[in-house]
Amino acid sequence: MQPDESFSLVAEAQAGDAAALTLLLQRNDDRMRGLAYKLLDDAHATDDVLQDAYIKAYQNIGRFRGDSAFSSWHYQIVYTTCIDSMRRSSRRPTAPLDVSHHPADPERVDVRVAEVDQVRSALNELPVKQRAVVLLVDGEGLSHREAATVIGVRPGTVASRLHRARRALRTYVESIEGDER
């Protein structure tokens, strides 16, 4: 999508063109769905949260100031809606990982699945705020500044949470590897 095309669609959406906003939301749907599912680990909860988040986007498009990319604003709505959902349900979310890309060697499949399970377990041990930063920066490829916009903190906070999360992930994986010896 061209930056001017996105700007034009946002302007149309803010002028009341529901089709323009729908197109903007659809263009980001896969990434938003991925983030929500990784935070919630429940397909039904993901659908519910996304429905709520998209309604919020429709209701609040007039408040989008253009200080950041539309996708960052959209991530922020989805992230906040996920956090609200987790608070309401008082359950510990998990972070699923896509295991659809198995190694070509069938004998390595068990090893690959075990590695994915280790990473999933390690991510699930992280506090939600650290897990979210890992998912946004390492999983979604957002910059520290973009992730900071999404979760409403300063880029330095993103960097420190990411540092602590990566350190905790390393420690967790090393402890598992030490237990296997």
Side-chain angles (χ1 to χ4, degrees), residues 110-140:
D110 289 340
V111 173
R112 174 75 175 127
V113 170
E115 290 169 352
V116 168
D117 286 343
Q118 284 180 345
V119 173
R120 179 183 296 126
S121 295
L123 282 171
N124 289 336
E125 292 298 317
L126 293 175
V128 172
K129 291 179 180 181
Q130 288 180 15
R131 184 176 333 130
V133 170
V134 169
L135 292 171
L136 290 169
V137 174
D138 293 339
E140 298 294 322

Side-chain angles (χ1 to χ4, degrees), residues 99-112:
V99 294
S100 61
H101 302 291
H102 294 294
D105 180 0
E107 294 177 13
R108 291 268 308 139
V109 171
D110 289 340
V111 173
R112 174 75 175 127

Side-chain angles (χ1 to χ4, degrees), residues 32-47:
M32 300 307 139
R33 187 167 298 283
L35 175 63
Y37 187 74
K38 289 172 186 170
L39 286 170
L40 301 170
D41 191 28
D42 181 314
H44 295 294
T46 295
D47 290 340

Side-chain angles (χ1 to χ4, degrees), residues 157-169:
T157 302
V158 169
S160 65
R161 286 181 186 171
L162 189 59
H163 175 76
R164 285 193 306 271
R166 287 175 176 164
R167 186 177 58 217
L169 289 171

Side-chain angles (χ1 to χ4, degrees), residues 20-64:
L21 182 56
T22 298
L23 183 57
L24 285 166
L25 296 175
Q26 287 173 341
R27 288 180 177 174
N28 291 306
D29 186 66
D30 286 344
R31 292 185 292 164
M32 300 307 139
R33 187 167 298 283
L35 175 63
Y37 187 74
K38 289 172 186 170
L39 286 170
L40 301 170
D41 191 28
D42 181 314
H44 295 294
T46 295
D47 290 340
D48 291 345
V49 162
L50 287 177
Q51 182 176 359
D52 290 347
Y54 291 176
I55 289 169
K56 288 177 185 178
Y58 273 101
Q59 292 171 338
N60 294 297
I61 187 64
R63 294 183 180 168
F64 176 67

